[in-house]
Amino acid sequence: MVFREALGGGRVFFERDIGFYWYPQVESLVRALGEGAWPVWSPRFGFGAPMWADASHQIPYPITWLHLVLLPATYYKVFVIVHVMVAGVGGYVFARRAGLGSFASFAGAVAWCLSGPFLSATNLYHHFAAAAWMPWALFALHGALVRGKSPALLGAVVAMMVVAGSADVVLMTALLALFYSAAFVAGDAAGVGPRLRAVGRAGLIGAGVAAALSAVQWVPMAAQLRLGSRLALLPADNLYWSVHPASLVDLLVPRLLADFPLRGEAKSVLFEGRDPFLSTLYLGLPALAAVLFAPLHPARRLFLFAAISFAFFVLLALGAHTPLLPLLLHVQPMAIFRYPYKYLFPAALCWGVLTALGVSVWTGPWGARERRQARWVGAALLLAGLAMLAVASHPELAAGWSGALVEAGHEADAAAHVAFRVSGVAWMSVAIAAALAVRGFGSRSTEWAAVAVVALLAANLAGIARTVFLLAPRALLERRPALADVIAQGTGGHRVYSVRYPLDWMRAHLKDAPGVDPEWTWFLGNQERLTPPSGARWGIEGSYDPDFTGLVPKHVTRLVERFDALTDPRARTRLLQVAAVDYVVALVPPPAEGLRAKAALPSVYTMPIVLYAVPDPLAKVYLVGAARAMDDAPAVETLTDPAFDPRREVLLAADTPAFTGGDGLTGAVREVERRSDRIALDVEASQEALVVIVEAWAPEWTAAVDGVPSPVLRANTAFRAVRVPAGRHRVEMRYRPGAVPLGLAISLAAVAGLLVAWEVGRRRRESVPG
């Protein structure tokens, strides 16, 4: 069973985005709900970031609310299994609706839902969830175009993709729908007009229903996009993690190149210096044997749709290695999506459709053409198998062509790896060739040979699938970093800057732990260092963290980029102080002045993890008596100027009136309430002053002083400030993005409208006699 190890034995999903991003997101969501706050703002991601508007949080996605009754590790197991089932059943019902038999539909569904690209996305939770709905979109589109069914189902499926959190997959599905509609229109030259009208009706109604139902997610996200940097990606960002043409061998030989012990230079060329974006690209050699029969199926439109779409999406996945995607990046909305590897999701679905077509040919009656095809395909697979067996049995042949790629000292490992991977595929090729020979040369009905190949397909994909999921003991995720305990004991706050290092450097400094998976050690090391945003799991705020989503407001991103670019230790310390950063986590002494080592903790690295205390940081909430207005660029430079005293003065945005209250300000600020989406302060000031809150400014933050609305000013380029008169006052601040209730209202109205339309239609059908 594919998920046997995940369901039992205390193992949990943790790899990459699951452990680094998903768990902190879940903790932030549950903490916000537990506080009685709206889940709209994450105060511990960097200096604060939108929650609901970030679709990867999946807040409107129905299954997300199981977090209220399930622990995160248990939830994720349910999440993965449910979406594999959704994908598989969707692949099956689409193939059945397209006219294929149950056995062929089953084979195609298996080839899709157990494919390497789809299962590898389990650590890309929002893309994985959305991709599971792709075949359902084709199912609904086929019903609307061919059977005249309501396009509302198509809209509902696309809406599920949107609230699942992946605009990328929505775009891919739109491209699939475009190809499918083109095949539908081209199938009958005499009826082009009615078919175009059917496509237009399905597109307009489906898009309208999808937009209305998913407004709860896309309206807040669209409002946030204009504030962040996602709409201004550079081509290098879009094309990063392109599939190298050499990696296409992994489509048919599982992880041949992905697991190869590559030299650093070769790894930089093939995988851009990192691990592959998807752990396996394997589509299955047995499926290839079926795909090669797909052109013989009488459903020409379905074949052309699947074949052309497969080739198109593979070309897109190659990214920078072909001119196609760079050309399309000049067209919106293509330009806001990154990592071309993702285009292998729809390619894998099309591969499943081709597999279903081929298996349908296998199990049908055979004539001379089918037998001839079987003989040709069988002969080709036999020759390929024999050639691969020769390579597997003579490792020196592999060493000859791969010598320049192998990491020094790993030549024997490389030869063993090639022999192991290639021999398995070789014997499968020989076995399939034998089955095809029986069917191709047999004089009687020998459909059992097709059944045998499909069984081999399912067993092969299931076996490979068990290696796709990288699992870890539950204790690895439940382990609380020692740094979190040290920080909790301190007298300062809980805002931390964790120094970032090159990935290769960190991996090179990991200790060897016999019997321990290196990825467990890698994850543990990042967790121990509180690599952002993982500190949010333990209530620790981030600071100068990278923007992972492109949704962080530009003014915050600019401040972070300036901090990263600084080489002057004194200037870096000043920016740490201005940002109310209490601690710095580092493996080697950080380039900042005056930091005091507070604790040195043993780690999985060859050096201890050191916690440094920042000298005299600003409080997270404080009073100042003066303000200057200036543009962001000079303001950032002023913040690092020793002549600037942030305890006396604050820098406001250029369009804000300057403010001078005098030098004799005395007073105090006390937090009365703090939740994820709000903060209440008691303020006492001897004269008119500004209350500065060192947390990210966003236009949706509102403030009231003694119940009277007051503007929230942008302070020190990235933070918030509110003007208060002399005396004692209550200042309340809330994050209330208007796009959230607006989107929610639109979606609820759409649900109500669809229910009314369904009820009216039901009554009409019941009133029709007979």
Side-chain angles (χ1 to χ4, degrees):
M1 183 180 177
V2 174
F3 301 104
R4 182 178 62 189
E5 190 177 2
L7 293 176
R11 296 298 176 93
V12 296
F13 292 94
F14 79 101
E15 191 180 11
R16 284 175 34 173
D17 286 10
I18 302 171
F20 293 139
Y21 308 128
W22 183 81
Y23 271 91
Q25 287 177 342
V26 169
E27 296 289 348
S28 296
L29 171 62
V30 173
R31 184 178 284 113
L33 295 174
E35 293 170 348
W38 277 65
V40 289
W41 183 259
S42 300
R44 296 171 184 86
F45 278 58
F47 292 115
M51 184 187 298
W52 193 307
D54 181 354
S56 68
H57 282 78
Q58 300 180 310
I59 292 173
Y61 195 46
I63 194 174
T64 297
W65 294 90
L66 286 177
H67 284 301
L68 299 179
V69 295
L70 295 178
L71 293 174
T74 303
Y75 168 90
Y76 208 85
K77 294 179 183 182
V78 173
F79 176 84
V80 170
I81 294 170
V82 164
H83 285 92
V84 170
M85 293 175 63
V86 167
V89 174
Y92 177 83
V93 298
F94 167 64
R96 291 289 287 151
R97 175 164 277 188
L100 302 182
S102 57
F103 185 69
S105 299
F106 169 77
V110 168
W112 149 240
C113 73
L114 295 185
S115 66
F118 176 65
L119 288 183
S120 293
T122 50
N123 57 38
L124 306 169
Y125 43 94
H126 52 303
H127 300 311
F128 175 67
W133 293 99
M134 286 196 299
W136 287 98
L138 293 178
F139 169 81
L141 179 62
H142 181 91
L145 297 180
V146 179
R147 299 193 175 190
K149 294 185 176 293
S150 171
L153 177 61
L154 174 61
V157 172
V158 175
M160 287 295 283
M161 294 180 180
V162 175
V163 297
S166 178
D168 308 59
V169 173
V170 173
L171 171 69
M172 297 170 198
T173 305
L175 293 172
L176 277 174
L178 181 64
F179 283 121
Y180 197 81
S181 299
F184 170 74
V185 171
D188 184 1
V192 169
R195 287 175 177 255
L196 281 174
R197 285 192 291 274
V199 169
R201 174 177 175 271
L204 287 174
I205 297 177
V209 171
L213 288 177
S214 62
V216 64
Q217 181 59 73
W218 72 259
V219 170
M221 184 173 65
Q224 189 64 34
L225 274 173
R226 63 185 174 83
L227 300 174
S229 59
R230 190 62 183 262
L231 296 178
L233 290 176
L234 298 174
D237 299 320
N238 297 109
L239 297 172
Y240 185 71
W241 255 327
S242 296
V243 177
H244 193 278
S247 291
L248 295 181
V249 68
D250 286 5
L251 296 176
L252 298 176
V253 183
R255 297 186 62 84
L256 178 64
L257 201 59
D259 283 346
F260 199 80
L262 294 167
R263 288 181 182 270
E265 316 88 79
K267 192 171 184 179
S268 295
V269 171
L270 295 173
F271 304 124
E272 294 164 284
R274 303 186 66 176
D275 293 332
F277 184 74
L278 300 177
S279 62
T280 179
L281 310 184
Y282 188 58
L283 297 177
L285 184 72
L288 174 64
V291 168
L292 293 175
F293 280 81
L296 303 184
H297 198 281
R300 298 294 297 168
R301 283 181 295 168
L302 185 60
F303 166 71
L304 289 173
F305 154 72
I308 293 173
S309 299
F310 174 78
F312 175 75
F313 284 112
V314 169
L315 283 174
L316 287 184
L318 292 174
H321 303 293
T322 74
L324 179 58
L325 186 56
L327 182 64
L328 291 177
L329 290 179
H330 295 287
V331 180
Q332 289 290 1
M334 297 288 289
I336 67 172
F337 301 114
R338 16 175 219 190
Y339 311 151
Y341 259 90
K342 290 184 247 184
Y343 289 108
L344 289 178
F345 302 155
L349 175 58
C350 294
W351 181 265
V353 174
L354 292 171
T355 301
L357 289 168
V359 171
S360 183
V361 173
W362 280 357
T363 55
W366 275 23
R369 185 178 63 158
E370 288 79 11
R371 294 182 186 280
R372 186 167 55 252
Q373 183 79 350
R375 291 193 288 270
W376 278 108
V377 172
L381 288 175
L382 178 62
L383 290 175
L386 293 176
M388 287 187 286
L389 284 174
V391 171
S393 59
H394 295 84
E396 65 276 6
L397 296 177
W401 65 264
S402 64
L405 303 176
V406 179
E407 187 178 2
H410 290 267
E411 292 79 6
D413 295 337
H417 169 70
V418 172
F420 174 72
R421 295 296 184 188
V422 170
S423 61
V425 174
W427 284 115
M428 272 196 298
S429 299
V430 172
I432 297 169
L436 290 174
V438 171
R439 190 77 202 276
F441 291 99
S443 58
R444 294 182 297 174
S445 177
T446 51
E447 287 84 355
W448 63 264
V451 175
V453 175
V454 171
L456 179 61
L457 164 68
N460 175 235
L461 287 177
I464 298 299
R466 292 185 61 188
T467 68
V468 172
F469 309 113
L470 190 56
L471 305 173
R474 182 182 292 268
L476 183 71
L477 276 171
E478 294 177 343
R479 177 169 173 168
R480 179 180 170 89
L483 274 182
D485 293 328
V486 175
I487 290 170
Q489 296 168 4
T491 56
H494 297 80
R495 177 167 288 167
V496 169
Y497 169 64
S498 182
V499 180
R500 299 189 296 277
Y501 302 99
L503 296 179
D504 288 344
W505 185 89
M506 286 193 295
R507 286 193 180 274
H509 285 84
L510 284 174
K511 295 177 184 175
D512 291 329
V516 176
D517 192 303
E519 290 303 316
W520 298 355
T521 307
W522 171 254
F523 174 80
L524 185 59
N526 280 281
Q527 189 168 262
E528 288 179 344
R529 291 174 44 242
L530 301 177
T531 301
S534 62
R537 291 185 60 191
W538 296 280
I540 297 171
E541 298 177 10
S543 57
Y544 291 101
D545 302 343
D547 178 10
F548 303 108
T549 64
L551 297 176
V552 174
K554 295 186 185 74
H555 50 269
V556 178
T557 302
R558 283 193 290 266
L559 182 61
V560 173
E561 290 173 347
R562 177 55 181 155
F563 177 82
D564 289 340
L566 286 174
T567 56
D568 182 354
R570 291 172 297 178
R572 288 177 69 88
T573 299
R574 286 186 61 80
L575 282 188
L576 290 170
Q577 293 168 330
V578 167
V581 176
D582 303 290
Y583 301 106
V584 173
V585 178
L587 294 174
V588 296
E593 186 177 85
L595 304 186
R596 177 177 57 84
K598 180 179 177 66
L601 304 174
S603 73
V604 297
Y605 300 98
T606 56
M607 67 277 289
I609 295 175
V610 181
L611 182 70
Y612 293 89
V614 177
D616 200 21
L618 288 172
K620 292 184 179 62
V621 181
Y622 63 97
L623 284 172
V624 294
R628 273 187 281 168
M630 61 176 63
D631 292 327
D632 284 355
V636 172
E637 298 302 322
T638 301
L639 290 175
T640 62
D641 185 347
F644 172 71
D645 184 358
R647 288 170 174 77
R648 289 189 57 258
E649 185 180 25
V650 70
L651 306 178
L652 301 178
D655 57 354
T656 307
F659 166 73
T660 303
D663 293 331
L665 173 66
T666 60
V669 183
R670 182 174 65 88
E671 281 190 15
V672 177
E673 178 188 33
R674 179 182 280 272
R675 303 185 188 183
S676 296
D677 65 338
R678 74 193 77 164
I679 182 172
L681 308 169
D682 278 344
V683 180
E684 183 174 357
S686 61
Q687 60 189 42
E688 189 176 12
L690 286 166
V691 180
V692 181
I693 298 92
V694 187
E695 190 177 298
W697 178 91
E700 295 87 356
W701 278 98
T702 63
V705 179
D706 298 329
V708 179
S710 180
V712 178
L713 309 176
R714 184 155 61 86
N716 290 342
T717 76
F719 309 123
R720 306 196 294 267
V722 178
R723 184 175 293 192
V724 295
R728 294 184 178 182
H729 304 280
R730 170 65 60 90
V731 176
E732 296 178 332
M733 192 174 293
R734 296 173 182 268
Y735 183 73
R736 288 292 180 266
V740 170
L742 174 62
L744 185 58
I746 294 172
S747 294
L748 290 175
V751 171
L754 288 175
L755 290 175
V756 169
W758 178 83
E759 179 63 18
V760 170
R762 185 187 65 82
R763 291 184 179 183
R764 284 179 179 174
R765 289 191 296 271
E766 290 178 351
S767 65
V768 175

